[in-house]
Amino acid sequence: MSVYSRLTPHLLAELVAITGQGYVLTDEEKMLPYSHDETRGDRYRAMPAAVVRPATTGEVSQIMRLAQEHRIPVTPRGAGTGLSGGAVPVHGGIVLALERMDRILEIDRENLVVVTEPGVITNRINELLIKDGLFFPGYPMSRESCSVGGNVATNAGGGRAVKYGVTGRYVTGLEAVLPGGETIKLGGKRAKDVTGYNLIPLLVGSEGTLAVLTQITLKLLPLPKASMDLLFLFDKIDSATSLASSIMAEGRIIPAALEFMDRSAVALACRFLGEELPHQAGALLLVQLDGAGEEELYAQCGVLGKLGEKHGALEIYTANDATSRRKLWRIREAVPEAAMSFYPVQSGEDIVVPVAAVSAFVGFLHQLADKYGCDVVSYGHAGDGNVHARFLKRSEQPPDQWEANLPGMLREAYRRAALLGGTISGEHGIGLKRKDYLNEVLGQTELSLMRRLKAAFDPCNIMNPGKGSGFK
Amino acid sequence: MSVYSRLTPHLLAELVAITGQGYVLTDEEKMLPYSHDETRGDRYRAMPAAVVRPATTGEVSQIMRLAQEHRIPVTPRGAGTGLSGGAVPVHGGIVLALERMDRILEIDRENLVVVTEPGVITNRINELLIKDGLFFPGYPMSRESCSVGGNVATNAGGGRAVKYGVTGRYVTGLEAVLPGGETIKLGGKRAKDVTGYNLIPLLVGSEGTLAVLTQITLKLLPLPKASMDLLFLFDKIDSATSLASSIMAEGRIIPAALEFMDRSAVALACRFLGEELPHQAGALLLVQLDGAGEEELYAQCGVLGKLGEKHGALEIYTANDATSRRKLWRIREAVPEAAMSFYPVQSGEDIVVPVAAVSAFVGFLHQLADKYGCDVVSYGHAGDGNVHARFLKRSEQPPDQWEANLPGMLREAYRRAALLGGTISGEHGIGLKRKDYLNEVLGQTELSLMRRLKAAFDPCNIMNPGKGSGFK
């Protein structure tokens, strides 16, 4: 885009002077992995002019100062596991890869916080903490490959959000570098803070469009002492989702996880795994309980059993040892891979509706897929109303037709979600993939307010331009 | 101030046309209750030009449009129970009293949310919900007199924040009117949302300096089925606060409440109540447990008993019926009134330090009070590191000297809190009282970023000017 400058050999030399030789990549082949995230489709790929890999906040600050002075777009990048194209450098410029800033700086067991750099792979934190009986609960499903910085930048959710909330709940402190190179420090190890505007949650989920996160303080919780899983089989999705609602409202139990799968998701996963479920299995609800002790969980199991029968469960399985728990979760965890293996062309969605509207929405998605001649599977976090629908191109459908149909189909799905009081993304983010649909859920007043906030942070619009709420 | 215009008779007539006769007060006597909140001291009083009491979002919108057009400052006001002078109209203009917008609009038991207007007295929500076994956990200590709008505007905390978090955690949707009169709608009944910048937590705690909150959606939780209280008596504060830390870190128990009192707070409350505690009682820790069942709580009691002994508890009392629980809490709850009755002149603080630093900080406060010739009591939320210190003017100290000393003493206290990694307010807010001390905890870069955000919302600076993070 003409508003931005080219990365001249002179500027490249300055970048090398900042990070040292070897940490500025310009070779196309080496840059290839940095040209996309895990979002499917060629439209979610773009090559940067350079990949810069800083090691310290000071280096990030110098890079940003240079970039702003010369109007070079900068796209911050964590582990590249995003599902919305948020880390794709659509305007070229610099990909700022934070993978070298991967130190866990402090585990403070007295104050129950951990201080980390953004490039730390999320699961490393919990691996380190387990011996202390502590954990960071805000992790997403991809915890073994994603980075903490990316989790914070997207306000990542995950399977346990129904009880423990999403990443943002655990961020008590942030260090970040503004587009002009200035470093800000917000919050810290304190549990409460009403000093000035609450900027931490504004940076959380801002998808690298406001500032570069360079240090993160996360609150920890004691590991629950006991946990248990239950799997409910139903003949139809309505029963599964109405049980999900009633577990919380009527049973007064907040499970650690509450996952659903619709008939086609169950079928796809079983086909992939070579498993057989009773043929009338039309929906599945997986419940994970955790708490202070086994007695408590057995009592809750009793409540859940009664509720399950009331809602017409065909079968109920329980598991409290590692092997049988893995078995229960296998079907749910297989869905993404199963979908990928049978349907190489697809669109993975992350729609949210109020919990009580999940079943109606899943029904609508199937009508929509029928209308557009594709398949669809729905599964995800029933307790949050977070529906991970995947629209799947049938092999017989011509690719052009799929491509032509997709935007209209997505718009219809998003519009219906909005109508039900939901939104177009619960945890994956807006990124590149959903930015043209923001107007389905946000009005012009809200959008222009967001643009003014973006300008207050990033007046030259160099921070991850063309993405998320950054818009342009 | 000269940047603002006077409220002319013509404009007053326009306000009356918007709200109807009787809802625009200009009589000094009638306006008196709106000239202050519950912050002690004449410096936290100012008379508005008019008090306007709208009944609907539409009226708020028209008032704001008029105010911005004519540059009239507007100070939104909830129930006036604030403790930082946030609702004091220091630049005159309009006090926008939201007390008539007091309807609970919807209780949605399926989606576990309540939708309310801002003027609802907080406790009314829980009174309505108790029969459904639900509650809104984010309430502050003043729940019987404060309003939900004020809770959200200050991100109020309270005694149960250690387990349940503060008000902001429960706000899933907001309707607000911008200074120019435009209405924005953010979030809703959905549990997760990463659509656009996360503006809800930015408005939460913004103390009426960015927008007027007109509708609030709050997440509900199932009421815990059992609860129990324990009171630990210690000879010194270090033991009480180190037990507080170890309950969470070592005992792996997150209590619903974890309150401490230092020696002088215990003495003051006992003197007020005419109670006797063992004379060596130098500190007190109150623990409230809640959970899914009694067995679980008894097991936790066992853990707490052992930890208490290890940390040198002199006595341990437990209570699980209403009468004996009230008795345990009596001493803690008496502190504010006791302090008021023996020391009519005082400064109530709301400082936060990391949990592990509470004891060191309390010790410092006593040295500070000695230095300045006043008394001090410290008590509050040990689990959050939220120290409600009250500096108390001794009767023999001349009022002039107290007034002259106070700013320096507060600055020293705040500076030490900052040095320990804490901050100057955890739940009461910056308001009028603490705005000159923001620079003790926020750098120039952070402050000027906040000013740019304020300008992005409120370019004419009419929203509660001179307050909180609104600065000017």
Side-chain angles (χ1 to χ4, degrees), chain A residues 187-338:
Chain A
K189 293 181 179 181
R190 44 205 191 241
K192 275 181 187 171
D193 193 345
V194 291
T195 318
Y197 294 129
N198 196 5
L199 300 190
I200 292 177
L202 184 63
L203 288 176
V204 171
S206 64
E207 302 187 278
T209 65
L210 301 179
V212 184
L213 309 177
T214 50
Q215 198 170 297
I216 297 153
T217 305
L218 295 170
K219 198 173 84 165
L220 306 174
L221 286 185
L223 261 176
K225 290 174 184 163
S227 67
M228 198 177 282
D229 294 296
L230 293 95
L231 188 150
F232 297 82
L233 221 57
F234 291 96
D235 60 349
K236 57 183 198 300
I237 184 79
D238 309 36
S239 312
T241 58
S242 69
L243 173 60
S245 286
S246 79
I247 288 173
M248 299 194 282
E250 196 178 334
R252 290 163 59 183
I253 294 165
I254 301 284
L258 192 47
E259 299 286 302
F260 81 98
M261 295 170 64
D262 73 355
R263 182 184 301 274
S264 35
V266 174
L268 201 68
C270 286
R271 186 173 144 210
F272 181 72
L273 296 170
E275 292 231 7
E276 292 261 338
L277 278 183
H279 70 280
Q280 67 282 51
L284 186 154
L285 193 72
L286 255 166
V287 185
Q288 183 165 93
L289 301 171
D290 67 13
E294 296 233 318
E295 296 86 5
E296 171 193 337
L297 300 191
Y298 280 118
Q300 293 185 350
C301 265
V303 176
L304 290 186
K306 277 188 199 132
L307 285 174
E309 278 168 33
K310 184 172 148 189
H311 289 269
L314 304 174
E315 310 258 4
I316 307 176
Y317 307 90
T318 63
N320 59 358
D321 65 281
T323 316
S324 47
R325 295 178 72 177
R326 247 196 314 274
K327 217 173 142 193
L328 289 197
W329 279 90
R330 227 175 129 220
I331 298 181
R332 164 66 181 88
E333 284 168 354
V335 185
E337 210 184 329

Side-chain angles (χ1 to χ4, degrees), chain A residues 111 185 190 192 194-197 209 223 252 296 355-356 381 384 386 422-423 425 427 446 452-453 456 469, chain B residues 111 185 190 192 194-197 199 209 223 252 296 355-356 381 384 386 422-423 425 427 446 452 456 469:
Chain A
N111 289 307
K185 285 175 195 286
R190 44 205 191 241
K192 275 181 187 171
V194 291
T195 318
Y197 294 129
T209 65
L223 261 176
R252 290 163 59 183
E296 171 193 337
V355 174
H381 318 307
D384 307 320
N386 196 178
T423 189
S425 182
E427 55 187 27
E446 290 80 0
R452 295 201 297 277
L453 295 183
S469 322
Chain B
N111 289 306
K185 285 175 195 284
R190 43 207 191 240
K192 276 180 182 170
V194 292
T195 318
Y197 294 130
L199 300 190
T209 66
L223 262 177
R252 289 164 59 183
E296 172 194 337
V355 174
H381 317 306
D384 309 320
N386 196 178
T423 189
S425 183
E427 54 187 27
E446 291 80 359
R452 295 200 298 275
S469 322

Side-chain angles (χ1 to χ4, degrees), chain A residues 16 19-25 53:
Chain A
V16 171
T19 59
Q21 200 75 44
Y23 300 119
V24 177
L25 315 178
R53 304 170 65 230

Side-chain angles (χ1 to χ4, degrees), chain A residues 331-346:
Chain A
I331 298 181
R332 164 66 181 88
E333 284 168 354
V335 185
E337 210 184 329
M340 292 293 195
S341 97
F342 297 122
Y343 296 90
V345 179
Q346 53 175 268

Side-chain angles (χ1 to χ4, degrees), chain A residues 380-420:
Chain A
H381 318 307
D384 307 320
N386 196 178
V387 179
H388 287 318
R390 285 178 188 243
F391 292 107
L392 308 165
K393 188 186 97 58
R394 293 180 189 152
S395 55
E396 68 269 22
Q397 188 180 35
D400 290 0
Q401 198 190 74
W402 161 265
E403 289 291 332
N405 282 352
L406 190 59
M409 184 167 64
L410 291 182
R411 195 168 289 277
E412 280 195 58
Y414 295 160
R415 194 164 288 174
R416 177 60 65 107
L419 209 66
L420 291 167

Side-chain angles (χ1 to χ4, degrees), chain B residues 17-356:
Chain B
I18 293 169
T19 60
Q21 200 73 43
Y23 300 121
V24 178
L25 316 177
T26 52
D27 179 275
E28 289 257 325
E29 200 176 330
K30 284 190 181 147
M31 293 199 301
L32 198 61
Y34 298 90
S35 67
H36 62 87
D37 62 8
E38 291 185 7
T39 314
R40 309 280 280 197
D42 285 344
R43 71 181 82 185
Y44 306 119
R45 287 173 173 266
M47 199 56 93
V51 174
V52 185
R53 303 170 66 230
T56 65
T57 303
E59 290 181 13
V60 171
S61 168
Q62 290 180 62
I63 295 163
M64 290 312 306
R65 194 173 306 129
L66 194 74
Q68 172 154 305
E69 193 187 330
H70 296 279
R71 302 291 189 274
I72 310 292
V74 175
T75 303
R77 180 186 176 92
T81 59
L83 293 167
S84 65
V88 180
V90 284
H91 289 281
I94 294 169
V95 162
L96 192 70
L98 296 156
E99 57 213 358
R100 288 177 66 216
M101 295 179 68
D102 65 348
R103 291 174 304 161
I104 294 179
L105 300 170
E106 187 189 355
I107 297 178
D108 181 339
R109 292 170 182 83
E110 262 193 314
N111 289 306
L112 295 182
V113 296
V114 60
V115 185
T116 86
E117 290 186 329
V120 170
I121 298 301
T122 309
N123 213 35
R124 263 187 64 208
I125 298 172
N126 284 333
E127 283 169 357
L128 270 173
L129 290 169
I130 195 164
K131 67 174 189 311
D132 298 308
L134 298 173
F135 78 131
F136 157 56
Y139 58 79
M141 296 296 231
S142 57
R143 63 188 176 278
E144 287 171 23
S145 52
C146 62
S147 69
V148 175
N151 300 163
V152 176
T154 56
N155 199 8
R160 313 185 72 179
V162 57
K163 179 165 184 174
Y164 292 104
V166 295
T167 304
R169 185 188 288 182
Y170 298 90
V171 183
T172 63
L174 278 183
E175 178 193 79
V177 175
L178 297 179
E182 292 163 304
T183 302
I184 55 173
K185 285 175 195 284
L186 303 167
K189 292 181 178 180
R190 43 207 191 240
K192 276 180 182 170
D193 193 345
V194 292
T195 318
Y197 294 130
N198 195 5
L199 300 190
I200 292 178
L202 185 62
L203 288 176
V204 171
S206 64
E207 303 186 278
T209 66
L210 300 180
V212 184
L213 309 177
T214 50
Q215 198 170 298
I216 298 153
T217 305
L218 295 170
K219 198 173 87 165
L220 306 175
L221 286 185
L223 262 177
K225 289 174 184 163
S227 67
M228 199 177 283
D229 295 294
L230 292 94
L231 187 149
F232 296 83
L233 221 58
F234 290 97
D235 59 349
K236 57 184 199 297
I237 183 78
D238 309 36
S239 312
T241 56
S242 69
L243 173 59
S245 286
S246 79
I247 288 173
M248 299 193 283
E250 197 178 333
R252 289 164 59 183
I253 294 165
I254 301 285
L258 193 47
E259 298 285 302
F260 81 99
M261 295 168 66
D262 73 355
R263 182 184 300 274
S264 35
V266 174
L268 202 69
C270 286
R271 188 174 142 207
F272 180 72
L273 296 169
E275 292 231 8
E276 293 262 335
L277 279 183
H279 71 278
Q280 67 283 47
L284 188 153
L285 193 73
L286 255 165
V287 185
Q288 183 164 93
L289 302 171
D290 67 13
E294 296 234 318
E295 296 85 6
E296 172 194 337
L297 300 191
Y298 281 117
Q300 293 186 349
C301 266
V303 176
L304 290 185
K306 276 188 200 133
L307 284 174
E309 279 169 33
K310 185 173 149 189
H311 289 270
L314 304 174
E315 312 258 4
I316 306 176
Y317 308 90
T318 63
N320 59 359
D321 64 280
T323 316
S324 48
R325 294 178 73 177
R326 247 196 314 275
K327 216 172 143 193
L328 289 196
W329 279 91
R330 227 175 129 220
I331 299 181
R332 164 66 182 89
E333 284 169 353
V335 184
E337 209 186 330
M340 291 293 194
S341 96
F342 297 121
Y343 297 89
V345 179
Q346 54 175 269
S347 182
E349 299 306 322
D350 175 42
I351 297 165
V352 180
V353 293
V355 174

